[in-house]
Amino acid sequence: MYIGVDLGGTNIAVGLVSEEGKIIAQTSTPTLVGRPYQAIVEDMAVCAKKVMEEAQVTVKDVKSVGIGIPGVADQTEGRVIFCTNLGWADIPLRVEMQKYLPLPVYIDNDATVAGLAESYAGISANCSSSVMFTLGTGVGGGIIIDGKPWSGAHGIGSEVGHMTLVFGGEQCTCGKRGCIERYASATAIIRMAKNAVREVPESAILTMAGGDPNKINAKIVMDAAKAGDPTAVNVFDQYTEYLAAAINTVTTFLDPEMIVLGGGVSRAGEFLLNAVRAKLPNYLLFKALPSPRLELARLGNEAGIIGAALLGRAAN
Amino acid sequence: MYIGVDLGGTNIAVGLVSEEGKIIAQTSTPTLVGRPYQAIVEDMAVCAKKVMEEAQVTVKDVKSVGIGIPGVADQTEGRVIFCTNLGWADIPLRVEMQKYLPLPVYIDNDATVAGLAESYAGISANCSSSVMFTLGTGVGGGIIIDGKPWSGAHGIGSEVGHMTLVFGGEQCTCGKRGCIERYASATAIIRMAKNAVREVPESAILTMAGGDPNKINAKIVMDAAKAGDPTAVNVFDQYTEYLAAAINTVTTFLDPEMIVLGGGVSRAGEFLLNAVRAKLPNYLLFKALPSPRLELARLGNEAGIIGAALLGRAAN
């Protein structure tokens, strides 16, 4: 068994996970960003002990602790290089955790961890290589090669959301322009929809948002597109075109066995999947050859705990 | 020792290569595109026997034959899926070669093979991961992960030149728009220079091309930029900006230990390298963290023979 910790800006979710990637017990506690990191790590450990107790196991039954962080880790040293949302920089996370739990501690980026979870216990199980796109407020990426998570030689890789898609395009929060995140995130859908309703205020998007453009979210746009609102259909078409191009760029470079769509936007389900699948062939370099399968993630929010836990399994 | 075959549209170059990636003997013969594939493979075998004779070794001293092709290979089946330039489609290259040489035969894309050569015997030796950009008429890519060439789960990966850099941008020969190849190849430099001299006909670029825009090549533009011609400097600046963005996209995704620039354009040497290196920090997502080293390829034209030969070493 493994302990998995999903450290988010709002909650710390902790679970006890089986060798097969099933959650045996789980709990969570608020992160309360702003506290000293020692207090946050102590809460992780308290949660870990709680799930072990619930499952009636001891530290001896647990092989390792894995922690998924919303930032960049130094896996060798077991440190958090930084987590912008938590205000963390250079935190000795492994050493701090080992004060409570005398176990190997593995740390990796949360999007990478979600990709790992899918590749062991989700849709990409049995794929030796896969890339997961986490389509949320931003766009995260998780790369699995030969069954192991790949974050790069310096830990700065798998940042799918910040690959350039439109050279000189929309300004990104990262300082660059034209990043995939500016075109394939929920934030991008909202931006496109706001622009669209400015031209077509009678769109169902605006009605569904109670007449307030600031209340438009990705789900509203998707729902309006599903219902056939022409403005929403246009936004959806534009969005899926960008997403198909982004997926193709990863295919053209890495050609993994499978590409997995996760995150809030992927809750649009088959509607999104079918639209993107229909566009992918136009982008393929070798149209007659097999190419990566595109699928929806399966594990939802549990991917964070499961993937973090399985970092220990992937490392050995 | 290994036999390496560099199959090009003009010549077939064949060499006997040591375990360390040194060429012991080499020869070449014209490809004469249009002949039946059997005749071309027979010529490869004749060349292979010639280099073995020259080095006074027999088939028993050779571990395997590797063939770098300008196309896509099915490595498991040992077939060429296709080589557009040779007009080859679904060619049983391994079986045909084994009629002459009873040895294991490995086949991979020529850009991948060049990247492999550098990672064993060139600039990226001792890097466990690297990506090579071959900047020529097009842009090729070679990916090395954990010391092994990576062409993808379906053999359609590492096509760096056809990742999207400018969504909706310049029409590419592949059918897509805005591919890296349209902005980072020698062809791109020539296109930009032709546009520039239309505006500024007094540019040294045009003088050096004998007044004929159709005689402009990448070397002329680089030489004019080195000499300080303002129009050439502008083109060079634009080109290196695109190249830096393309390199950054690979860094952001894979974060290899090293990125290597090869191909004809890279003959501009330190002048090119320094300009691109100066631009890379602007594109980095994590400016304070270590990132891939950027270097020039070292093996030049020999990379094709050396890398093909070493396919056998990498496979074992």
Side-chain angles (χ1 to χ4, degrees), chain A:
Chain A
M1 278 172 286
Y2 305 88
I3 296 284
V5 179
D6 180 6
L7 174 61
T10 311
N11 284 302
I12 302 164
V14 180
L16 184 70
V17 173
S18 73
E19 199 73 31
E20 295 74 37
K22 291 251 175 274
I23 296 181
I24 298 162
Q26 64 175 306
T27 186
S28 74
T29 192
T31 311
L32 306 176
V33 170
R35 297 188 288 166
Y37 74 87
Q38 293 90 342
I40 293 179
V41 177
E42 192 178 349
D43 272 2
M44 289 180 191
V46 168
C47 288
K49 285 175 182 169
K50 205 161 150 188
V51 295
M52 286 192 283
E53 226 164 79
E54 195 187 320
Q56 296 181 301
V57 302
T58 69
V59 171
K60 281 181 194 153
D61 302 307
V62 175
K63 286 191 184 159
S64 60
V65 177
I67 308 173
I69 58 162
V72 178
D74 178 334
Q75 291 156 48
T76 317
E77 301 293 325
R79 301 175 81 88
V80 173
I81 298 174
F82 57 75
C83 289
T84 312
N85 294 345
L86 304 183
W88 282 14
D90 198 26
I91 301 290
L93 182 54
R94 177 186 292 156
V95 169
E96 191 65 23
M97 181 55 104
Q98 286 174 334
K99 287 183 184 167
Y100 305 97
L101 292 167
L103 290 168
V105 174
Y106 300 96
I107 309 168
D108 213 322
N109 174 266
D110 51 9
T112 298
V113 152
L116 181 66
E118 294 291 341
S119 84
Y120 271 96
I123 186 68
S124 44
N126 304 320
C127 290
S128 86
S129 58
S130 58
V131 174
M132 181 160 168
F133 282 64
T134 309
L135 308 170
T137 310
V139 173
I143 305 175
I144 308 298
I145 297 175
D146 286 337
K148 292 182 186 299
W150 177 272
S151 298
H154 314 87
I156 62 168
S158 90
E159 292 285 352
V160 168
H162 297 283
M163 300 169 80
T164 300
L165 181 64
V166 189
F167 182 88
E170 296 275 340
Q171 180 67 50
C172 188
T173 49
C174 78
K176 290 191 280 182
R177 285 185 168 276
C179 294
I180 283 179
E181 184 161 298
R182 289 304 99 208
Y183 300 89
S185 61
T187 314
I189 298 176
I190 295 167
R191 185 190 70 238
M192 294 175 203
K194 281 184 176 174
N195 288 340
V197 300
R198 213 172 290 136
E199 303 284 318
V200 190
E202 65 275 22
S203 160
I205 298 173
L206 203 51
T207 321
M208 289 164 79
D212 181 356
N214 291 320
K215 291 198 173 133
I216 294 171
N217 60 39
K219 187 176 183 308
I220 287 176
V221 181
M222 294 288 184
D223 287 345
K226 274 185 209 174
D229 173 71
T231 309
V233 168
N234 277 346
V235 170
F236 180 71
D237 191 58
Q238 197 181 345
Y239 173 77
T240 49
E241 199 70 50
Y242 285 128
L243 184 54
I247 289 168
N248 175 264
T249 266
V250 166
T251 295
T252 305
F253 184 71
L254 196 70
D255 176 25
E257 216 172 315
M258 188 184 284
I259 290 178
V260 180
L261 301 182
V265 176
S266 75
R267 290 198 202 111
E270 300 285 323
F271 181 64
L272 176 72
L273 186 66
N274 292 336
V276 180
R277 277 186 179 161
K279 286 176 172 166
L280 284 178
N282 298 330
Y283 287 94
L284 277 176
L285 190 55
F286 306 113
K287 296 190 194 335
L289 300 184
S291 58
R293 275 169 60 198
L294 182 72
E295 299 289 351
L296 296 168
R298 255 193 208 156
L299 300 174
N301 289 335
E302 295 194 336
I305 290 176
I306 297 170
L310 294 176
L311 284 172
R313 193 179 144 192
N316 294 298

Side-chain angles (χ1 to χ4, degrees), chain B residues 6 114 117-118 132 262-263 266-267 297-306:
Chain B
D6 180 5
E118 294 290 341
M132 181 160 169
S266 75
R267 290 198 202 111
R298 253 192 209 156
L299 300 174
N301 288 337
E302 295 194 337
I305 291 176
I306 296 170

Side-chain angles (χ1 to χ4, degrees), chain B residues 189 192-193 196-197 200 203-206 208 218-240 271:
Chain B
I189 298 176
M192 294 176 205
V197 301
V200 190
S203 161
I205 298 173
L206 204 51
M208 289 163 78
K219 187 175 184 306
I220 287 177
V221 181
M222 293 289 184
D223 287 346
K226 274 185 208 172
D229 174 70
T231 309
V233 168
N234 277 346
V235 169
F236 180 70
D237 191 57
Q238 196 182 344
Y239 173 77
T240 50
F271 181 64

Side-chain angles (χ1 to χ4, degrees), chain B residues 4-139:
Chain B
V5 180
D6 180 5
L7 173 61
T10 311
N11 284 302
I12 303 164
V14 180
L16 185 70
V17 173
S18 74
E19 200 72 32
E20 296 73 37
K22 292 250 175 273
I23 296 181
I24 298 162
Q26 64 176 304
T27 186
S28 73
T29 192
T31 311
L32 307 175
V33 170
R35 295 189 288 165
Y37 75 86
Q38 293 90 340
I40 293 180
V41 178
E42 190 179 352
D43 272 0
M44 291 179 190
V46 169
C47 287
K49 285 176 180 168
K50 203 161 152 189
V51 295
M52 286 191 285
E53 224 163 80
E54 194 186 319
Q56 295 180 302
V57 302
T58 70
V59 172
K60 283 182 192 150
D61 302 306
V62 175
K63 287 191 184 158
S64 60
V65 177
I67 308 172
I69 58 161
V72 177
D74 178 335
Q75 291 158 46
T76 317
E77 301 294 323
R79 300 176 82 87
V80 173
I81 299 175
F82 56 75
C83 288
T84 312
N85 295 345
L86 304 183
W88 280 15
D90 198 26
I91 301 291
L93 181 53
R94 178 186 292 155
V95 170
E96 191 66 23
M97 182 54 106
Q98 287 174 334
K99 288 182 185 167
Y100 305 98
L101 292 166
L103 289 168
V105 174
Y106 300 96
I107 309 168
D108 213 323
N109 172 266
D110 51 9
T112 298
V113 151
L116 181 66
E118 294 290 341
S119 84
Y120 270 97
I123 187 68
S124 45
N126 305 318
C127 290
S128 84
S129 57
S130 58
V131 174
M132 181 160 169
F133 282 64
T134 309
L135 309 170
T137 310
V139 173

